[in-house]
Amino acid sequence: MPPVAATLMIAASLAGGLAPVTQAPVTMKAAVAAPNLRACYDGKCNLTLTKRVTFRVSSKFGITRLAISFTGQSVLVKGTGPGVMSQARLGKGTSGSVNGIGVRVAGLSSGKAVLRLAPVR
């Protein structure tokens, strides 16, 4: 008998309970942490995405927002700002840039994209 179930059975017996108490196994799915998009403001961060995201970036790049979407075959990175739009479509293992923000696709599947962003020097 597992230690927790034995402890509960003893506690129930001491409290005058007649039936043994058992604990059902607890199953938990690992929580997927949301990406820290604020960390990408300076153009440098690592992202693991499970859905499309849009976030602000420093205007020093000539854009103010990045939108990233993906499929199992490619990642689309689109930078926008007042009167400007730039984009790059990248495959798994490739690199590119959008207005001075370098993007490397480290992993890609239909449900997840792993990206590395860094300013291009």
Side-chain angles (χ1 to χ4, degrees):
M1 183 177 310
V4 172
T7 303
L8 291 174
M9 187 180 287
I10 292 168
S13 296
L14 292 175
L18 300 175
V21 177
T22 59
Q23 183 177 9
V26 177
T27 58
M28 292 184 177
K29 289 186 177 181
V32 176
N36 181 5
L37 299 175
R38 288 185 180 170
C40 297
Y41 182 79
D42 64 354
K44 184 176 182 182
C45 63
N46 296 323
L47 293 173
T48 299
L49 304 177
T50 57
K51 62 181 181 178
R52 181 185 196 282
V53 296
T54 301
F55 53 92
R56 293 183 47 78
V57 293
S58 173
S59 61
K60 73 180 182 181
F61 297 109
I63 55 175
T64 55
R65 297 193 79 71
L66 270 185
I68 303 173
S69 58
F70 64 94
T71 66
Q73 290 76 40
S74 67
V75 174
L76 177 63
V77 183
K78 185 184 289 187
T80 57
V84 104
M85 193 278 290
S86 178
Q87 67 182 20
R89 185 171 301 273
L90 306 167
K92 183 177 180 179
T94 63
S95 300
S97 66
V98 173
N99 270 49
I101 299 175
V103 181
R104 181 178 182 284
V105 181
L108 183 61
S109 69
S110 62
K112 182 166 70 170
V114 180
L115 309 173
R116 309 285 183 249
L117 276 61
V120 177
R121 299 191 199 312

